[in-house]
Amino acid sequence: MVLGRQFARLADRRILLAYWPWLLVLIGLVLVRVSKGAPIVDLYALLSRPFWPGTAQSEWVRQAQRVEDQQRIAQLELQLEQLHQGAARPAEGAVGRAAGIRAAVISRRSEGWWQQLELGAGSLQGLRPGAAVTGPGPAALVGRVVSVTPTTARVALLTDPASRVGVELRGNGSQGLLRGMGTSRPQLQFLDKDVEVQPGDVVVTSSASSLFPPGLIVGVIQSVDQQAVPAPQALVQLVAPVQALDWVQVR
Amino acid sequence: MVDLPLGRPAMVLVSGSLALLLSLACPWWLQLDGLPPNWLVLWLLPWAVVEGSLAGALAGLVLGSLHDSLQTSGLTAVPALVLLGLWWGRFDSARRPLERSTTLGLLAILGSLGVNLGYALQLQGGGPLPVLHITLAQSLLTGLLAPPVCSLFVLIWRRRSTRHAR
């Protein structure tokens, strides 16, 4: 009864009229929080547009896309020819992946407490959460899109302490889990105890990974701790230099 | 310079947004070893000093919440900023001495240390992160920028304050 009276007093029109600006502020704050800062990041993208990175790296990305597209067309033509000749149906996925969407890096926080990028392309350009982000040129994995706004996308880098990626060694296929450490070199924890690994081995995304396309280059083994328990561990030098990235490709 | 053609609410909105946007991307010449100053501390300090504890704590809550929404990790700056707002708000009765550069700089360094300590506690010591390096670099830079930035904003907020109307 007392609670009901208090609620009725709160809902009093006079009080609502007196405090409506604060109510609007509160609603706005909740909306910004729920949308993961979408209005702020979109505003930032709009204001910073004249200062976005130049076109040099963008041209590299475009050339890489062109090469990938040509390879894909050649593969498709070959498979079409095989089909015409009555050959066996090509395996699914053999066509390769479509080239990604180019996006400028408009905010880079890879020092300190956060390991993330903001990209100048969002849902309007077709970006979706969960997409893999690679550097220009050869497909070197940088991170993963975690959220998008209409004009921007937020990327969690491989170095983020929350990042976990299934990877394997190119060549012998030893499987492992790449863990971000908050530093520039993530740690690779192998799943098997007996692993043949040495500095210089190339690490790629695992064919068993459900998060990333298989075979994307991640980095190179820098040092190995064979004595680690329960399985060997290694530090990985990433191929894509986050500090120098101005443009990326989202797949 | 202090008489900007903006009202108090507009000035709060513009300067607060600027602090958040600078947190997203800071010019390289305002960074120390890749780390930017703590813009939230630089905004909150003059506001709390002029407006008092309650306004300081509320501003800390709002600014911290908005800043948290821009991060991928679950780290929050809200508790540290609310406590700093409450603490700095208690200096509103001793306004004159706070205009001295050393006082503002020292308060900003302590504020930045507090925010970074809050992050480190949430990560239970920081794990493999170079916590000491991050904390010292950011606090030093924040302390160096505080005298010019905070002095200016103390004057701006006082001109526009309802509590210290001339």
Side-chain angles (χ1 to χ4, degrees):
Chain A
M1 195 68 183
V2 178
L3 274 176
R5 271 204 302 271
Q6 282 181 344
F7 182 76
R9 190 171 163 271
L10 274 175
D12 192 328
R13 275 178 59 194
R14 279 172 303 176
I15 292 176
L16 279 178
L17 282 173
Y19 291 103
W20 69 267
W22 290 108
L23 204 63
L24 280 182
V25 169
L26 189 67
I27 291 169
L29 183 65
V30 171
L31 285 177
V32 171
R33 190 67 210 251
V34 169
S35 67
K36 294 181 180 171
I40 300 171
V41 190
D42 281 336
L43 174 70
Y44 171 74
L46 187 73
L47 294 176
S48 65
R49 190 169 281 268
F51 308 102
W52 281 11
T55 53
Q57 265 194 17
S58 169
E59 192 51 41
W60 299 351
V61 177
R62 194 176 291 144
Q63 279 174 6
Q65 272 181 342
R66 229 173 275 146
V67 170
E68 267 186 59
D69 286 343
Q70 283 167 355
Q71 285 174 348
R72 198 160 172 257
I73 289 168
Q75 277 180 324
L76 282 167
E77 281 175 349
L78 182 70
Q79 285 171 9
L80 195 63
E81 202 176 315
Q82 285 172 345
L83 281 173
H84 279 308
Q85 289 170 357
R89 194 181 178 81
E92 233 174 271
V95 174
R97 293 178 294 273
I101 300 163
R102 281 183 313 130
V105 176
I106 60 172
S107 166
R108 182 186 296 117
R109 280 183 287 178
S110 56
E111 303 283 344
W113 301 103
W114 298 282
Q115 303 287 323
Q116 64 185 63
L117 302 175
E118 299 284 344
L119 307 181
S123 56
L124 291 177
Q125 286 77 28
L127 266 59
R128 296 283 176 269
V133 179
T134 60
L141 189 65
V142 173
R144 184 165 167 255
V145 175
V146 287
S147 63
V148 293
T149 72
T151 58
T152 68
R154 189 166 300 155
V155 178
L157 296 171
L158 293 176
T159 49
D160 189 299
S163 168
R164 302 282 184 279
V165 181
V167 294
E168 63 188 29
L169 290 183
R170 183 181 270 177
N172 64 22
S174 300
Q175 299 281 329
L177 191 68
L178 191 76
R179 290 177 58 216
M181 309 274 283
T183 54
S184 59
R185 293 183 187 94
Q187 188 183 59
L188 172 53
Q189 291 181 323
F190 287 99
L191 300 182
D192 291 329
K193 212 171 176 180
D194 300 317
V195 180
E196 280 182 31
V197 55
Q198 54 190 5
D201 284 354
V202 177
V203 180
V204 297
T205 50
S206 168
S207 48
S209 171
S210 56
L211 290 176
F212 295 104
L216 292 178
I217 298 171
V218 174
V220 177
I221 299 283
Q222 199 193 30
S223 62
V224 185
D225 179 7
Q226 290 283 7
Q227 309 304 319
V229 178
Q233 294 178 347
L235 282 180
V236 176
Q237 176 67 54
L238 298 176
V239 171
V242 174
Q243 288 300 331
L245 278 182
D246 285 339
W247 288 81
V248 292
Q249 211 166 356
V250 185
R251 293 155 187 273
Chain B
M1 191 169 176
V2 174
D3 289 320
L4 295 169
L6 286 174
R8 189 163 170 264
M11 194 64 200
V12 171
L13 199 66
V14 169
S15 59
S17 302
L18 193 66
L20 288 169
L21 296 180
L22 281 168
S23 300
L24 274 175
C26 180
W28 62 268
W29 42 269
L30 274 178
Q31 294 182 7
L32 184 60
D33 204 13
L35 290 158
N38 195 322
W39 296 107
L40 305 186
V41 163
L42 290 175
W43 189 92
L44 185 65
L45 174 57
W47 172 263
V49 159
V50 174
E51 296 295 335
S53 289
L54 183 63
L58 276 174
L61 175 71
V62 172
L63 209 57
S65 296
L66 293 176
H67 185 256
D68 290 351
S69 70
L70 300 175
Q71 319 298 340
T72 51
S73 62
L75 297 180
T76 177
V78 170
L81 289 175
V82 169
L83 288 175
L84 286 172
L86 281 172
W87 177 43
W88 287 335
R90 295 171 68 90
F91 288 96
D92 69 333
S93 54
R95 300 191 305 274
R96 289 286 166 201
L98 277 174
E99 284 172 1
R100 289 177 191 155
S101 301
T102 46
T103 318
L104 284 170
L106 190 64
L107 287 176
I109 286 175
L110 291 175
S112 182
L113 285 173
V115 172
N116 282 300
L117 181 68
Y119 288 144
L121 286 175
Q122 289 168 64
L123 285 172
Q124 291 161 348
L129 277 171
V131 173
L132 194 64
H133 171 81
I134 297 171
T135 305
L136 288 181
Q138 193 167 54
S139 301
L140 184 65
L141 194 57
T142 309
L144 282 172
L145 279 177
V149 175
C150 294
S151 305
L152 179 68
F153 272 92
V154 164
L155 291 175
I156 290 174
W157 296 138
R158 258 191 220 153
R159 291 264 172 125
R160 286 164 170 75
S161 174
T162 49
R163 304 182 76 202
H164 304 292
R166 287 173 305 163

